Amino acid sequence: MSKAIYEYHKINELIPGPSRWNFYGKIIFMCNIADQLLLLLKDETSSMYVYMNSKDNKEPIVGLKLRQVIRIHRGNVRRNPTTNTKEGVVQVEMAGCHFVAWPHFGDANNPISKSSKNWTKSDIDQEKINELSELGNDQPITKAEELAIQLVSHREKTRNDDTVRNWWKMSKIESEQSSARKARELSLISIGDPVEMDNEYDIDDSSFLESNAQDFLQFVINCPGCLKKYKTVWYISDESKEECFKCKQKVQCKVAVRVKLKFETHNIYFTFPIELVKNKECYSYIEKLIASDGTPEHVDEIHKFQETVKEALQNFCLTKIKGMVVAKSNKLKFVDIYLFNCKLLRLTR
Ligand SMILES: [Zn+2]
């Protein structure tokens, strides 16, 4: 850790052009576009898309998750001619460009992901982490957020068009209606509130796509103290810790997976400890993973893990779920539900 003085700007102060900028933002949306990681960052003034590129464009940037607070040093800002919005470009190590990210309400001294070992700590890091973690949904919607919503609804629309062509149109419509009901039901639950349902939930195959590898493997701290105090579990990106990063209680970190549910209308995810879906192949792989004392370092590895879990979950749906809502965005129709418990049910449909 070294110290230097940087001048930071709010997102609405960034001007497209040759200058390089230092700024903070909260990750409120992320996706992969043509092998590039795209983040939507928000601060109290505005929001902006930021393309994240690793040093040589080969090794993926790992560890970034929704709701984290990210700080960018010497990032570029350009104007997107198609959408007429400004967007950020982070090319790690190019002209001293670097990023540091912290968990939601994290400790400034413990970044969860960073592009440089010798990262610079700034005096306002903690203040910004707290401020941006608290950033609510009540601000007016920005053009960039509108685009994120369009992106999501466009994907839904494309899927609907395909569905109409389906031979099973009638039975589909029926199951879609009940599916929409199930999705709506889950989307109405507030952050921190318990979820307890006996419905059957189908897993969307897109969960197992290589492009979703980053979001698939999760490490979760389910700390009883924090669960009571903050009404949340913590998603972290380092599984070797044996204590709660927030209150330092001794607690075992769990290897979990995040799957997207098969809903046309909402983006609903279940994150659950892999032990809930015990399966021989799956387990031996996880044991190897933990024995090697580290997270899978390459997307290839995570993808192999995805494949084993996919096999374990194939032909099953999830039911009898007990959990809580950990993250949600009404605008993006996004909900992340952590499951403390669930059952696998073999599909007969
Ligand atoms: Zn704790």
Side-chain angles (χ1 to χ4, degrees):
M1 243 191 280
S2 58
K3 256 195 176 268
I5 294 164
Y6 279 82
E7 193 188 342
Y8 295 93
H9 288 89
K10 307 237 157 95
I11 292 178
N12 72 346
E13 296 167 342
L14 306 176
I15 301 162
S19 304
R20 292 192 165 257
W21 300 90
N22 310 317
F23 54 96
Y24 293 82
K26 177 181 185 169
I27 304 174
I28 61 164
F29 177 79
M30 62 194 290
C31 65
N32 282 285
I33 289 184
D35 285 342
Q36 251 190 127
L37 180 61
L38 178 64
L39 305 178
L40 180 55
L41 300 188
K42 189 179 176 79
D43 71 5
E44 67 274 36
T45 65
S46 189
S47 64
M48 178 175 81
Y49 282 103
V50 177
Y51 287 92
M52 302 291 292
N53 301 294
S54 56
K55 191 178 159 195
D56 50 7
N57 281 325
K58 284 243 158 62
E59 287 295 305
I61 290 173
V62 293
L64 295 181
K65 302 228 155 96
L66 281 170
R67 299 211 300 166
Q68 288 175 355
V69 172
I70 187 168
R71 188 195 75 194
I72 287 157
H73 275 175
R74 303 187 55 75
N76 266 123
V77 177
R78 66 185 179 200
R79 184 158 293 280
N80 181 319
T82 319
T83 58
N84 197 31
T85 52
K86 61 185 178 189
E87 59 192 21
V89 182
V90 167
Q91 184 81 48
V92 168
E93 280 193 21
M94 184 82 95
C97 179
H98 280 288
F99 72 85
V100 188
W102 296 272
H104 192 233
F105 286 111
D107 172 0
N109 294 309
N110 287 315
I112 210 150
S113 176
K114 52 188 186 283
S115 59
S116 161
K117 271 183 208 153
N118 310 311
W119 65 289
T120 314
K121 189 162 184 313
S122 294
D123 290 338
I124 59 166
D125 284 343
Q126 191 62 58
E127 191 187 312
K128 295 305 282 185
I129 295 167
N130 297 347
E131 200 178 291
L132 292 173
S133 294
E134 269 174 21
L135 204 63
N137 268 341
D138 46 354
Q139 283 140 314
I141 187 161
T142 64
K143 182 137 189 200
E145 285 166 81
E146 249 170 49
L147 285 171
I149 294 166
Q150 275 170 24
L151 202 68
V152 170
S153 66
H154 174 73
R155 279 199 301 238
E156 279 161 11
K157 197 166 154 282
T158 329
R159 275 205 300 266
N160 282 336
D161 290 347
D162 292 339
T163 313
V164 174
R165 276 183 231 113
N166 201 301
W167 278 19
W168 306 94
K169 196 176 161 194
M170 283 319 286
S171 68
K172 266 264 171 187
I173 288 171
E174 211 170 286
S175 78
E176 265 170 24
Q177 280 170 348
S178 91
S179 155
R181 252 197 311 275
K182 282 192 259 182
R184 211 175 319 118
E185 206 171 36
L186 292 177
S187 72
L188 290 174
I189 304 170
S190 305
I191 290 188
D193 279 358
V195 181
E196 201 171 335
M197 301 281 178
D198 287 340
N199 290 330
E200 293 163 19
Y201 299 99
D202 292 336
I203 296 166
D204 193 312
D205 277 343
S206 71
S207 310
F208 305 105
L209 289 178
E210 204 157 349
S211 56
N212 292 329
Q214 265 188 336
D215 214 31
F216 183 75
L217 180 69
Q218 298 287 326
F219 297 102
V220 179
I221 289 185
N222 177 3
C223 163
C226 286
L227 187 62
K228 211 170 158 199
K229 192 166 172 195
Y230 303 103
K231 287 172 89 182
T232 192
V233 297
W234 307 110
Y235 296 149
I236 59 171
S237 43
D238 174 9
E239 54 86 45
S240 57
K241 282 186 191 140
E242 289 189 353
E243 57 172 34
C244 171
F245 83 92
K246 188 82 185 164
C247 69
K248 308 296 174 207
Q249 276 293 309
K250 234 181 126 59
V251 53
Q252 201 62 45
C253 170
K254 288 187 173 184
V255 179
V257 294
R258 174 176 292 147
V259 295
K260 188 176 190 302
L261 300 184
K262 214 184 227 165
F263 287 132
E264 303 282 338
T265 50
H266 293 73
N267 299 294
I268 301 183
Y269 293 80
F270 282 168
T271 305
F272 53 88
I274 190 69
E275 65 199 28
L276 292 182
V277 293
K278 268 185 206 129
N279 163 297
K280 239 193 227 156
E281 294 91 271
C282 226
Y283 240 65
S284 65
Y285 183 72
I286 294 164
E287 273 162 18
K288 252 187 268 164
L289 202 72
I290 291 169
S292 72
D293 191 31
T295 58
E297 291 190 356
H298 302 286
V299 168
D300 290 0
E301 279 280 281
I302 304 178
H303 190 55
K304 205 170 102 200
F305 175 67
Q306 272 180 307
E307 282 295 317
T308 35
V309 178
K310 182 184 180 178
E311 274 163 38
L313 293 178
Q314 228 160 28
N315 304 318
F316 286 94
C317 66
L318 297 168
T319 186
K320 304 237 181 278
I321 60 157
K322 281 199 176 74
M324 72 186 302
V325 176
V326 173
K328 78 182 280 191
S329 155
N330 291 337
K331 286 172 197 162
L332 298 173
K333 294 183 162 191
F334 159 82
V335 191
D336 181 289
I337 297 170
Y338 181 72
L339 301 184
F340 301 110
N341 212 340
C342 68
K343 293 256 175 311
L344 285 186
L345 186 71
R346 187 173 281 281
L347 290 173
T348 50
R349 284 168 260 155

